[in-house]
Amino acid sequence: MKKHLNTMFVTTQGTYLHKEGETVQIKVENEIKGYIPVHTIGGIVCFGRVSMSPPLMGFCAENDVAVTFLSEYGRFLASVRGPVSGNVLLRRTQYRMADSKTDSASLARFFIMGKISNCRRVLDRVLRDHGEKIASEELSSASVRLKSSLDSLRQTSDLDSLRGIEGESAKNYFSVFDHLILSRKDEFKFNGRSRRPPLDKVNCLISFIYTLLLHDVRSALETVGLDPAVGFLHRDRPGRPGLALDMMEEFRPYFADRLALSLINLSQIKPSGFKTTESGAVLMDDETRKALLVAYQKRKQEEIYHPFIDEKITLGLVFHIQAMLLARFMRGDIDAYPPFIWK
Amino acid sequence: MYDESSLIPISGLQHVLFCPRQCALIHVEQQWEENRFTAEGRVLHERVDSGDSSDKGKIKITYSLQIHSLSLGLSGIADVVEFHPSSEDKNSFIPFPVEYKRGKPKKDLTDKVQLCAQAMCLEEMLCVSVPAGALFYGQPRRREDVVFDEYLRNETRKAAESFHRLVDSGITPQPVYEKKKCDSCSFLEKCMPLVIGKKRSALKWLEKAVFEGGENFEEAS
Ligand code: SF4
């Protein structure tokens, strides 16, 4: 568990991965590029025209290595799943809770609490560190409004109202998000959240990081035996990983948004690495995508303090810890799901 | 009497005796953590499985024998069973289970109970009595004979019963942190005995982290 397993991102088009003993053999145009022992990886993410042999898929499934196929631009295509693990009791509990309005609401509230709390801390941290350079009034008033959203969460136990509070606070947070961009502001302009497709560079960056995050959260949930498809805040919709989206909420501001911001603010990503298509949708080029993948991996290696379990761990492990805590809550071991709160 | 579909693995006896929560994590929740110790154990077993000598004088040795007992509700594999010629009847053999264990002999009954369960399986399947067996420890290499007396058989029955009760309930017991035990447990990180449990309220923690922690954060800035 302590061992920190890495995700292997395969972006070279035409790559073929197959099983060679206990390793993944990487071939490009019939030329062997290398071998990676399976026990050192926690996941494989394939972008675009990358293929994999069925025996390797089976081997990965058996060894808890999550395999995801994305389009070249990071749109989710498919993932590989092995036989459902033996955690039938846990899954039944999960389904039962998802069927219950009260249970769903209480879980949704935990996720939203984590999210809003972390949104607020992202704003507060920028205020603290760069208060003099930025539109601090707007930021602090947004932070105050987030605080009052947190307060109203306490009094709300109805799922729809909870979703209302969540939507409101997301609007609030993103309304000042552009102020968090501290350098090259005319080149990296944030024009409100746009997803399908992203209409500016910042959105393009954020959306891509969310996709990577979703892969990691999803595989963490699968590893502890939860069904990533059945959510509480995000209701069932075919093909949508509801629970993974639920648990992702607490990581969006702290993990993903801050990563995007630091890439921009520290000039690790060039404005010229993006192109706007005829429809207005913004895409990133190969080089930018690679830089982003490297930065994402690096961020997962960072050590942080986990306030609930009171231990220092790598960020990459946080997804697993949270998935475990969620499973423990469902089994009745703890009286709440403690989302990851950034301190 | 149990039916075949409700048999549970003999190896679980050592888990239920060591810690009921660990037993539930493995056999109810089906979590398995391979650490250095279990990996070593497996390697040791592989060596046993590929044992070469199968005819030591008059003793017949068999490896990896599949066994079960419907009265205990257990099934599993006996690594090594020696068949000793009976002193009374030249044509019959008395099974003598031998179990290989990594490490030193244990003070508690765990290993003996597991061996005894194997003996009781063999008795039930072969309709003979199995009075004794042996434990072989790797560190130092040492063989210890075990007599299956009524006391040990009773302990074995009790362990099998509590194992079945645990699996049937489907409920994982709360952890009880005991330093010596937990620190050597391969489930320590999954079990989280220090943060899980009724004693500590995650709800209170969350309230504090979200509402009070927030204030502190601002004060600090
Ligand atoms: S860590 Fe302690 S309480 Fe938890 S399973 Fe191991 S021995 Fe039992």
Side-chain angles (χ1 to χ4, degrees):
Chain A
M1 184 67 213
K2 278 281 181 227
K3 56 183 183 252
H4 180 210
L5 299 173
N6 263 322
T7 310
M8 174 177 157
F9 296 112
V10 189
T11 54
T12 307
Q13 299 301 290
T15 304
Y16 178 64
L17 305 172
H18 76 119
K19 179 176 176 296
E20 183 74 47
E22 303 265 308
T23 64
V24 180
Q25 189 193 65
I26 305 158
K27 255 186 181 173
V28 181
E29 315 286 344
N30 279 324
E31 196 187 313
I32 297 170
K33 295 284 182 190
Y35 297 88
I36 297 178
V38 166
H39 65 264
T40 61
I41 42 183
I44 302 180
V45 183
C46 304
F47 290 91
R49 218 163 36 74
V50 171
S51 53
M52 186 184 286
S53 73
L56 178 58
M57 291 187 196
F59 190 61
C60 287
E62 227 170 67
N63 287 281
D64 279 336
V65 176
V67 177
T68 305
F69 292 98
L70 304 178
S71 78
E72 243 188 294
Y73 302 107
R75 191 170 57 82
F76 179 82
L77 298 173
S79 70
V80 175
R81 281 184 61 165
V84 176
S85 77
N87 269 292
V88 58
L89 297 172
L90 178 62
R91 277 174 198 252
R92 285 189 69 144
T93 309
Q94 181 188 350
Y95 300 152
R96 229 176 278 131
M97 290 177 91
D99 281 340
S100 143
K101 279 210 169 111
T102 346
D103 289 338
S104 297
S106 79
L107 269 161
R109 194 210 265 126
F110 294 137
F111 296 125
I112 300 172
M113 248 190 198
K115 179 182 188 176
I116 302 182
S117 199
N118 287 335
C119 280
R120 195 171 156 232
R121 274 167 209 201
V122 167
L123 301 186
D124 288 351
R125 182 57 75 92
V126 175
L127 269 171
R128 189 186 82 179
D129 295 344
H130 307 280
E132 61 311 327
K133 283 191 280 187
I134 48 165
S136 47
E137 296 236 318
E138 279 182 54
L139 281 193
S140 42
S141 94
S143 165
V144 168
R145 271 176 288 152
L146 290 176
K147 170 76 167 51
S148 78
S149 296
L150 283 171
D151 285 331
S152 37
L153 274 184
R154 271 174 159 161
Q155 278 110 50
T156 316
S157 55
D158 166 70
L159 205 48
D160 286 327
S161 321
L162 285 168
R163 289 203 184 96
I165 296 174
E166 196 272 323
E168 179 95 5
S169 58
K171 233 191 263 155
N172 232 318
Y173 168 75
F174 280 119
S175 75
V176 294
F177 196 75
D178 191 49
H179 297 313
L180 307 182
I181 295 164
L182 304 171
S183 73
R184 297 173 294 169
K185 282 184 83 80
D186 8 312
E187 280 151 318
F188 286 102
K189 180 106 193 85
F190 180 77
N191 303 307
R193 187 78 183 101
S194 53
R195 284 160 260 247
R196 273 177 297 253
L199 298 174
D200 59 41
K201 301 183 185 82
V202 183
N203 271 293
C204 175
L205 211 50
I206 292 178
S207 286
F208 198 82
I209 299 172
Y210 286 169
T211 311
L212 302 178
L213 186 61
L214 186 64
H215 163 92
D216 281 341
V217 170
R218 183 190 179 122
S219 69
L221 290 168
E222 257 166 25
T223 309
V224 302
L226 287 166
D227 186 341
V230 177
F232 302 93
L233 175 62
H234 295 85
R235 304 306 291 176
D236 299 357
R237 197 193 285 163
R240 187 164 79 159
L243 185 60
L245 290 167
D246 285 1
M247 215 180 78
M248 214 175 109
E249 294 292 355
E250 66 201 67
F251 297 118
R252 284 178 202 260
Y254 167 66
F255 186 90
D257 300 348
R258 283 180 66 243
L259 177 61
L261 288 170
S262 74
L263 283 169
I264 298 171
N265 290 339
L266 301 174
S267 300
Q268 282 166 336
I269 264 175
K270 289 195 244 70
S272 59
F274 296 83
K275 66 168 190 259
T276 308
T277 62
E278 286 72 12
S279 69
V282 175
L283 301 174
M284 61 178 102
D285 65 16
D286 280 353
E287 203 190 318
T288 308
R289 194 177 315 122
K290 275 193 185 139
L292 175 55
L293 293 174
V294 170
Y296 182 86
Q297 279 303 96
K298 260 209 171 132
R299 183 135 167 76
K300 288 205 321 193
Q301 316 277 0
E302 272 169 37
E303 266 211 347
I304 51 129
Y305 169 72
H306 191 295
F308 183 70
I309 69 164
D310 192 20
E311 255 184 69
K312 262 196 170 167
I313 50 168
T314 58
L315 245 179
L317 214 54
V318 173
F319 312 128
H320 281 274
I321 301 281
Q322 292 307 126
M324 256 160 58
L325 289 170
L326 182 57
R328 298 262 62 109
F329 169 67
M330 288 186 187
R331 292 183 194 274
D333 270 4
I334 30 177
D335 59 355
Y337 165 66
F340 178 73
I341 306 274
W342 181 33
K343 287 259 176 187
Chain B
M1 278 292 185
Y2 293 92
D3 60 46
E4 284 204 342
S5 62
S6 52
L7 300 183
I8 47 185
I10 295 174
S11 59
L13 295 176
Q14 63 182 6
H15 304 134
V16 79
L17 289 173
F18 177 69
C19 168
R21 178 165 169 96
Q22 190 207 53
C23 185
L25 291 174
I26 301 169
H27 300 280
V28 176
E29 302 189 9
Q30 318 252 299
Q31 308 204 26
W32 183 244
E33 188 69 58
E34 174 148 282
N35 64 9
R36 191 166 57 84
F37 297 128
T38 59
E40 274 173 13
R42 206 188 50 202
V43 171
L44 197 68
H45 277 173
E46 277 160 11
R47 219 175 296 145
V48 172
D49 292 344
S50 61
D52 43 333
S53 108
S54 57
D55 212 337
K56 252 193 190 166
K58 289 221 176 96
I59 299 172
K60 251 175 55 185
I61 302 177
T62 57
Y63 299 95
S64 302
L65 216 52
Q66 292 189 38
I67 52 176
H68 77 224
S69 158
L70 297 179
S71 62
L72 292 173
L74 298 172
S75 72
I77 289 174
D79 285 337
V80 178
V81 180
E82 302 175 354
F83 286 85
H84 295 216
S86 156
S87 52
E88 288 144 33
D89 176 358
K90 291 260 146 33
N91 294 322
S92 73
F93 288 85
I94 299 163
F96 184 91
V98 181
E99 178 74 7
Y100 284 69
K101 291 286 172 193
R102 175 194 61 83
K104 301 192 231 358
K106 291 194 195 78
K107 287 204 191 75
D108 58 29
L109 278 182
T110 325
D111 292 343
K112 290 184 182 148
V113 161
Q114 222 183 321
L115 189 69
C116 183
Q118 294 186 8
M120 291 166 83
C121 288
L122 289 164
E123 288 182 336
E124 196 179 299
M125 294 176 87
L126 304 174
C127 299
V128 290
S129 64
V130 181
L135 288 164
F136 189 89
Y137 290 96
Q139 235 180 31
R141 297 174 73 80
R142 201 176 108 190
R143 186 168 163 144
E144 186 182 304
D145 283 337
V146 179
V147 175
F148 306 125
D149 57 16
E150 207 34 54
Y151 173 73
L152 185 55
R153 286 167 189 265
N154 243 327
E155 292 300 308
T156 307
R157 276 183 216 111
K158 278 200 291 197
E161 263 167 44
S162 54
F163 184 19
H164 268 282
R165 237 179 290 125
L166 190 65
V167 172
D168 288 345
S169 77
I171 296 168
T172 307
Q174 293 281 321
V176 180
Y177 182 73
E178 287 172 45
K179 190 166 177 10
K180 228 180 122 196
K181 191 160 99 175
C182 296
D183 288 356
S184 74
C185 172
S186 55
F187 278 80
L188 181 62
E189 270 140 18
K190 281 206 163 132
C191 167
M192 303 199 255
L194 288 168
V195 294
I196 298 290
K198 296 271 182 267
K199 277 198 207 113
R200 186 171 173 203
S201 169
L203 203 56
K204 286 206 187 99
W205 174 87
L206 185 58
E207 274 279 312
K208 226 177 133 200
V210 171
F211 296 102
E212 291 161 39
E215 311 303 308
N216 289 342
F217 189 88
E218 278 169 2
E219 275 161 30
S221 59

